Amino acid sequence: MKDFLKYMLATIAGIIVVALIISVFSLLTLVGIASMDSSASPVLDNSVLVIKLDGTISERAQENPFAQFLGDEAQESGLDDLLASIKCAKESDKIKGIYLEGGALAGATPATLEELRNALLDFKTSGKFIMAYADNYTQGTYYLCSTADSLVINPQGMLEWKGLALQTIYYKNLLEKVGISMQVFKVGTYKSAVEPYLLDDMSDANREQITTFESEIWNKMLKDVSKSRNMKAEELNALTDSALMFKSAKFYKKNNLVDKIAYTDAVPQILANMMECEKDDYNTTNVADVTALAQSKPKSTSGNLIAVYYAEGEIVQEESASMLAQGASIVGPKVVEDLKELAEDEDVKAVVLRVNSPGGSAYASEQIWNQVMNIKANKPIIVSMGGYAASGGYYISCAADWIVAEPTTLTGSIGIFGMFPEASKLINDKLGLNFVTVKTNEFADFGDLSRKVSDNEAAALQGYINRGYELFTKRCADGRHVSQDSIKAIAEGRVWAGVHAKKIGLVDQLGNLDDAIEVAKKKAKIDDYTVKSYPAKQNVFDQLINQVKGNSYADAKLKESLGEFYGVFNSVTNMARKDHVQAAMPYYLKFNL
């Protein structure tokens, strides 16, 4: 028995020691990977920039050496890196063209695709070429690849161009089966974020707003692609209704949707022909290397900075471990602290607040608004809107000196709601529990899940929501220099596309991040400056901590398994963690891009 215990303990000790050695070795390896000098993969002369349109796109992607180490092939691209690499490729004598490799993009909003597409069009003004190839073009990748001088598809390939469909999932019947109902208090006819919990079908008001902005976005996409493919928008729209995804490659070529039909192995020769050289006489480079080349260029010696602060994701007052795993979020106290530092930094002459958010906590939004005002008192602050800048996302934007949005940005949604679950049927009927409360005052047990809110509680709650709406609309009115009544006329929680938001005065200019930086430069009255991005990206050790705290690897695998339904899962599972009072749009909107 003694020998058995001795050997067992020795075995356990050996396993622990080996595990520690492997962990240390792995960490050192990962640090080595993360710290590798970009000069190890230089951009050579006579190069083609290869952009793989696959995986997910976010505003700023973190470099993740863990994914590579663990053999995770999922690719995440940062819009900032993509734009920087395309701009550098335009200006660099080493790069002669761009090769777009089509795949399936996830998480890209119409505005994200539009900004990327405009960057590709700007690249072409240099006289350099773009070539695109895909076995199968999704609608989003085709929208981007239609900019190409030579657009190639596999002989057995598929091309999706089918129009927009926006789907909302309703939970009311599911909640009823579980024994839960949602008690909602809101202001805004169009404030549809609460609809999935109250209805089993779309309201007329919500259908109206979706139909309007969806049509505006689709018409913009039609116009863009038809111009690049040298055809009429009406002709392209007619082809859309012919079930294009089931047509042959020959049909696509006949109708001018593609230029060539070829297998993958023909791509090198096609590129060589466009380079006017032999197949082995050109080099390829990637986004990471070209971004590194862009960052290595000499900075301004003036000391003047234009700070671009990225505010991406749901607005929350406190970040949970699961949110660390699920991606970017706008954490009120952290953003407030960061913006305060930018306000006090004398080298920062102007701030561009890059907002890509569907909103969230009304309280956190108000705190961030206050810091925007703090910056505004000392230096210009310009807002650049990404895919979303709605509800709380608009709340934190409205006080800026100038607001720039893409035509397809979703913004507005000026409204407030509060949502409180009531689970008496689940607790009493299904679980057989009976809660008995003894209290000293009327509101002592407010928030009790086992009962409905009382009439007095409901009146107090609605009054609180009404005051929040009054404050929200006043913030917007003061920021836009109009009357509160004129804001209320276009508020009511309604979501607008950027092109419409410009017409009704919610934004000042249609454009991209570079346009916003140009406005910041003029308002700061500086010519020589350096653009610096904030907050700083996480280093390898921060990523390691967040991997452990948030279990992001497990969440990534869940995201991979659930696919397009991950957004639904994420929305429902985080419901209990959200502030009860929200300035949020119906933030799980699934475009078929």
Side-chain angles (χ1 to χ4, degrees):
M1 187 67 179
K2 284 184 178 180
D3 288 339
F4 172 77
L5 291 173
K6 180 174 67 175
Y7 289 128
M8 183 179 73
L9 291 173
T11 301
I12 293 173
I15 292 172
I16 293 173
V17 170
V18 171
L20 287 172
I21 292 172
I22 292 174
S23 298
V24 172
F25 178 78
S26 299
L27 182 59
L28 291 173
T29 301
L30 292 171
V31 172
I33 293 171
S35 61
M36 278 194 289
D37 189 350
S38 61
S39 63
S41 302
V43 178
L44 302 175
D45 289 335
N46 211 36
S47 286
V48 175
L49 169 59
V50 178
I51 299 179
K52 295 185 178 181
L53 301 175
D54 199 12
T56 60
I57 294 183
S58 59
E59 285 286 320
R60 301 173 81 200
Q62 295 286 347
E63 293 181 10
N64 189 358
F66 303 101
Q68 181 179 350
F69 182 76
L70 295 171
D72 192 344
E73 297 180 357
Q75 176 181 324
E76 181 181 8
S77 301
L79 179 62
D80 59 338
D81 289 338
L82 289 168
L83 295 175
S85 66
I86 293 170
K87 184 175 182 180
C88 181
K90 175 189 175 185
E91 299 169 352
S92 174
D93 293 336
K94 294 183 175 183
I95 299 173
K96 308 303 180 184
I98 289 177
Y99 168 51
L100 300 176
E101 186 174 288
L105 290 174
T109 64
T112 299
L113 296 177
E114 182 178 11
E115 188 159 4
L116 187 53
R117 190 179 194 279
N118 286 336
L120 292 168
L121 290 174
D122 181 63
F123 170 84
K124 290 180 66 174
T125 62
S126 65
K128 300 178 182 181
F129 71 84
I130 297 178
M131 184 226 159
Y133 173 87
D135 292 325
N136 298 292
Y137 286 98
T138 64
Q139 187 160 258
T141 53
Y142 184 73
Y143 179 64
L144 296 175
C145 292
S146 63
T147 60
D149 300 282
S150 180
L151 205 159
V152 187
I153 193 170
N154 187 286
Q156 299 303 316
M158 178 183 291
L159 190 156
E160 285 190 356
W161 188 257
K162 54 190 179 183
L164 291 182
L166 200 153
Q167 186 180 76
T168 303
I169 298 179
Y170 290 77
Y171 316 120
K172 176 176 176 286
N173 291 338
L174 172 63
L175 292 174
E176 285 180 351
K177 291 178 181 179
V178 176
I180 298 174
S181 63
M182 301 303 296
Q183 304 165 104
V184 172
F185 304 86
K186 67 167 186 169
V187 179
T189 304
Y190 297 92
K191 201 64 189 173
S192 56
V194 297
E195 276 193 11
Y197 305 97
L198 300 177
L199 307 174
D200 54 15
D201 196 6
M202 190 174 289
S203 68
D204 291 340
N206 193 21
R207 189 176 297 277
E208 176 192 350
Q209 71 172 342
I210 289 176
T211 299
T212 299
F213 70 67
E214 189 178 49
S215 297
E216 288 170 335
I217 293 170
W218 178 241
N219 287 335
K220 180 68 169 62
M221 293 178 70
L222 275 176
K223 180 181 177 182
D224 289 345
V225 173
S226 60
K227 183 177 181 180
S228 291
R229 297 305 302 170
N230 195 27
M231 58 198 305
K232 295 181 179 179
E234 296 80 8
E235 179 185 354
L236 180 58
N237 201 34
L239 286 170
T240 306
D241 290 327
S242 66
L244 274 177
M245 68 285 286
F246 303 119
K247 300 295 185 181
S248 66
K250 290 182 179 179
F251 181 90
Y252 303 144
K253 188 173 185 301
K254 179 181 177 182
N255 287 276
N256 197 36
L257 295 171
V258 301
D259 299 301
K260 290 185 177 69
I261 301 172
Y263 287 101
T264 311
D265 55 11
V267 168
Q269 186 60 58
I270 296 173
L271 283 171
N273 293 341
M274 298 187 79
M275 294 278 287
E276 298 181 348
C277 67
E278 296 299 321
K279 191 166 65 171
D280 297 328
D281 288 346
Y282 69 90
N283 301 294
T284 59
T285 187
N286 56 43
V287 170
D289 287 341
V290 178
T291 302
L293 177 65
Q295 293 171 346
S296 69
K297 291 184 177 180
K299 308 299 180 185
S300 166
T301 57
S302 67
N304 296 331
L305 294 178
I306 292 181
V308 176
Y309 190 90
Y310 286 85
E312 180 181 15
E314 184 182 353
I315 301 173
V316 297
Q317 183 59 18
E318 184 177 352
E319 189 173 43
S320 66
S322 65
M323 288 177 179
L324 284 172
Q326 289 162 357
S329 56
I330 302 171
V331 185
K334 175 66 168 61
V335 175
V336 165
E337 180 183 348
D338 291 345
L339 294 183
K340 184 179 179 183
E341 290 180 1
L342 294 179
E344 295 171 351
D345 190 336
E346 294 182 358
D347 291 333
V348 175
K349 306 304 181 184
V351 176
V352 175
L353 182 62
R354 172 69 173 188
V355 179
N356 188 6
S357 172
S361 167
Y363 178 82
S365 299
E366 168 71 9
Q367 308 315 304
I368 296 171
W369 169 88
N370 183 55
Q371 281 306 313
V372 171
M373 291 295 292
N374 186 32
I375 292 175
K376 190 177 179 180
N378 298 285
K379 60 193 70 174
I381 179 166
I382 313 302
V383 162
S384 168
M385 293 181 170
Y388 300 100
S391 207
Y394 191 78
Y395 200 133
I396 68 176
S397 303
C398 65
D401 294 292
W402 196 258
I403 299 176
V404 181
E406 293 285 357
T408 52
T409 295
L410 294 181
T411 188
S413 192
I414 302 168
I416 299 282
F417 69 88
M419 193 160 56
F420 299 82
E422 184 265 313
S424 58
K425 288 184 179 180
L426 171 63
I427 293 170
N428 299 329
D429 300 344
K430 297 182 182 294
L431 300 180
L433 301 175
N434 186 28
F435 286 28
V436 179
T437 303
V438 179
K439 58 185 181 179
T440 59
N441 296 83
E442 182 179 359
F443 298 103
D445 64 338
F446 171 75
D448 185 353
L449 292 175
S450 67
R451 65 172 179 84
K452 293 182 178 180
V453 297
S454 67
D455 291 342
N456 286 341
E457 287 172 333
L461 279 168
Q462 190 60 55
Y464 184 71
I465 298 298
N466 291 345
R467 288 195 303 276
Y469 184 67
E470 287 297 313
L471 180 62
F472 192 173
T473 53
K474 185 178 187 306
R475 298 302 190 216
C476 295
D478 292 345
R480 302 307 298 162
H481 306 293
V482 296
S483 70
Q484 195 168 355
D485 285 341
S486 66
I487 288 293
K488 287 182 177 180
I490 56 175
E492 293 284 334
R494 180 157 184 170
V495 180
W496 304 94
V499 65
H500 209 143
K502 169 70 166 60
K503 294 176 183 177
I504 59 178
L506 289 178
V507 304
D508 297 295
Q509 178 181 340
L510 297 179
N512 56 26
L513 179 58
D514 283 343
D515 295 319
I517 292 172
E518 183 66 20
V519 173
K521 181 197 81 171
K522 290 179 180 178
K523 288 190 176 291
K525 298 178 180 178
I526 56 175
D527 292 319
D528 195 14
Y529 61 91
T530 297
V531 176
K532 187 175 180 180
S533 297
Y534 297 85
K537 291 186 178 182
Q538 295 176 355
N539 59 39
V540 66
F541 296 105
D542 290 333
Q543 289 185 60
L544 178 61
I545 291 170
N546 286 339
Q547 287 269 349
V548 174
K549 288 172 64 177
N551 197 14
S552 57
Y553 182 75
D555 190 78
K557 289 302 179 185
L558 184 63
K559 189 173 185 178
E560 183 181 328
S561 299
L562 293 177
E564 64 184 33
F565 295 105
Y566 175 80
V568 180
F569 171 81
N570 187 23
S571 177
V572 174
T573 53
N574 281 329
M575 183 174 61
R577 302 185 184 96
K578 299 180 190 299
D579 288 0
H580 286 305
V581 179
Q582 294 277 305
M585 68 179 289
Y587 41 82
Y588 183 64
L589 295 176
K590 186 177 76 68
F591 282 101
N592 59 327
L593 292 171

